[in-house]
Amino acid sequence: MSTKDSSQTMKSTTAAKRLGIYLPAAPEEFQAATPTRAELEELERNPPEWLVELRRNGPHPRPVVAGRLAVSIGGLARGGVTEALTTEQIQALRDDPPAWLVTERAIHAKVRAEEERLQAERTAD
């Protein structure tokens, strides 16, 4: 990696997305920072306690919530989930899924199966 690439900075929102965390729950100094790629890589390699805790317990951003519930982000919105959820809240939904979650999981599974079928067709050609 060149020095130019590793010294390139990014907005804290971009860094949070890459780390898979909900930015408003991160420490103020991270929210105000413009980390370099090298600093982001270091956070990945040696995450500080606050990052470990956020990844473990949340609150989690919508892409993470959607992934853990096996639905799309649109499915979350249709289900009325617009806020970040904690790991405990996600687990409660998984343990006793409401009707919208059951429906959205089925839709998501069909979409993924169709995407896999199309990918297999492209590969076979």
Side-chain angles (χ1 to χ4, degrees):
M1 181 187 296
S2 73
T3 308
K4 182 180 179 194
D5 287 342
S6 64
S7 65
Q8 212 173 25
T9 61
M10 64 188 78
K11 294 179 182 177
S12 57
T13 53
T14 302
K17 283 180 186 175
R18 291 190 179 180
L19 292 171
I21 61 169
Y22 184 58
L23 183 59
E28 187 64 39
E29 58 270 11
F30 180 82
Q31 292 181 40
T34 54
T36 64
R37 289 179 184 221
E39 290 168 338
L40 189 68
E41 289 171 6
E42 181 60 26
L43 284 173
E44 285 282 3
R45 276 194 304 276
N46 299 306
E49 186 57 36
W50 66 263
L51 181 55
V52 171
E53 191 63 24
L54 262 181
R55 285 178 166 170
R56 181 183 308 128
N57 298 315
H60 303 286
R62 287 184 308 164
V64 173
V65 174
R68 290 187 179 187
L69 292 175
V71 299
S72 67
I73 293 173
L76 284 179
R78 286 187 294 273
V81 178
T82 57
E83 300 296 318
L85 298 180
T86 64
T87 300
E88 187 176 301
Q89 292 168 314
I90 293 168
Q91 191 58 48
L93 286 170
R94 291 172 77 183
D95 291 344
D96 187 19
W100 70 265
L101 182 56
V102 174
T103 301
E104 291 300 333
R105 280 181 171 167
I107 291 168
H108 190 64
K110 286 180 187 175
V111 168
R112 290 189 61 119
E114 181 64 9
E115 287 172 350
E116 289 173 9
R117 184 188 69 76
L118 291 172
Q119 182 63 34
E121 277 183 16
R122 281 187 225 120
T123 305
D125 290 340

